[in-house]
Amino acid sequence: MSDSTNWASPGGIEPTPAGEPPRLDASPSGVGAGTGTPYGPASGAPQPSAAAPGWTPPPKPGLIPLRPLDFGTVLGACFQVLRRNPRPTFGAALLLNALVVFLSSGISTILVFTGFDRAARANAADADTILAGTVALIIVSGLLAVAVSIVAQALLQGIISIEVSRATLGEKRTLRELIALGRGRWWALIGWTALIGVAAVAAFSVLVAITVGFFIPGDPALALIGVGVVLLGGLGLVAAAIFLATKLAFVPAAIVIERLTLGDAIGRAWRLVRGAFWRIFGTLLLITVMVNIAASIVTTPFQLGATFAAPVVNPAGTVETDLTLFLVLNIFVIAITAVVGAIGSVLTTAASSLLYIDRRMRTEGLDLELQRYVELQAAGTPAVDPYGRDAGTAAS
């Protein structure tokens, strides 16, 4: 081959006479054009190229960026859950909270006032019977309210957890679709919620049973010991409740998102919290305190108005007017409480679900699975649900 043979080398580098450095070929993009250097003609700074792209942030197809989350991202995403898809989140929460508040407060209030009003109007022989019936109805309505509260809380936790997981992938589901996605897991979630209630009642009952024994004899020394037992036992129950609530905060998400059995979900939640207890506890505590303070600021004026409005509006003290005013004001307070409670329920449940996803990102590389799923979906290629039991759970 002669020295005059023309050839092109990879990268656009042309052969040069011996002793001279290689020269970059001029390109349409201007790289090396007229300068013999890999820089642009005017900038004097390296230009990004296809071979060495610059850093790009993780994608954000929906609710959150697909990377481990900081506190600000978690807090902002909690509020975005309400704004992004309000019908199945705030709508469901409002419906369920209104039902619970009405059963627990509304029916009891109505029964108390109507029962005592009837007893006051009845003769002495019938008054005791009416009061006994009223008390029985109040107890039944209270038990019904507890049962409905357990079911409502379980449904809301499941709906919000599924909504957060799908919103992370950029999906926007209806309430019917969210309920369908949780099909087969609702009874397990209701069982978990009921188990929490039974455990709390049992622990409190044991403490009461232990301390009552110190007060029955009437000995001042034993009574003093009983007071100490109550204080120490109460603090112990609070500490145990905080610890278990944090360690098991991800159980609802594990039940409905990974579709685990109740026993597997408890173990799964316990392992995910390992090594991040204080971070999860602090985040959930701070969000809960913020929600409760905001709820108190909104509801307290209405509650005070319902309590002290009667003497101002009805100075004569007419029983019928007082009763009507009390019922109207309390219905208004119940409505406000239901709205505020719905917002708070969505925020706290969304925070727990987001922290669950964050822990899986940090310990299992779930963010990579989510990115791969989004890319395949964008390309029209079928993909396995990244949240499933077979997606990245081996590391747990």
Side-chain angles (χ1 to χ4, degrees), residues 98-191:
L99 180 61
V100 171
V101 171
F102 177 72
L103 288 174
S104 60
S105 300
I107 291 182
S108 298
T109 301
I110 294 173
L111 289 174
V112 167
F113 276 87
T114 55
F116 280 97
D117 182 64
R118 287 178 58 198
R121 297 172 184 273
N123 55 46
D126 296 333
D128 292 339
T129 303
I130 293 174
L131 289 176
T134 301
V135 171
L137 288 175
I138 292 173
I139 293 174
V140 171
S141 66
L143 294 176
L144 179 62
V146 170
V148 172
S149 176
I150 290 174
V151 175
Q153 183 180 357
L155 290 176
L156 184 59
Q157 286 180 332
I159 289 170
I160 300 302
S161 296
I162 297 174
E163 164 62 20
V164 168
S165 67
R166 306 324 298 180
T168 299
L169 300 173
E171 301 176 9
K172 195 172 183 179
R173 301 298 187 105
T174 64
L175 179 59
R176 180 176 297 181
E177 290 173 338
L178 293 175
I179 293 175
L181 287 173
R183 184 178 294 120
R185 308 311 310 139
W186 296 117
W187 284 113
L189 197 55
I190 292 172

Side-chain angles (χ1 to χ4, degrees), residues 6 211 256-257:
N6 293 325
T211 55
V256 296
I257 295 177

Side-chain angles (χ1 to χ4, degrees), residues 242-263:
I242 291 173
F243 174 78
L244 292 176
T246 304
K247 293 290 290 185
L248 302 175
F250 300 155
V251 170
I255 289 176
V256 296
I257 295 177
E258 295 187 63
R259 304 188 66 82
L260 300 178
T261 63
L262 179 55

Side-chain angles (χ1 to χ4, degrees), residues 354-371:
L354 289 165
L355 289 173
Y356 158 82
I357 295 174
D358 172 69
R359 285 302 297 163
R360 289 191 61 182
M361 287 180 177
R362 294 175 184 271
T363 61
E364 303 171 358
L366 178 63
D367 50 340
L368 303 179
E369 296 289 338
L370 298 177
Q371 293 176 29

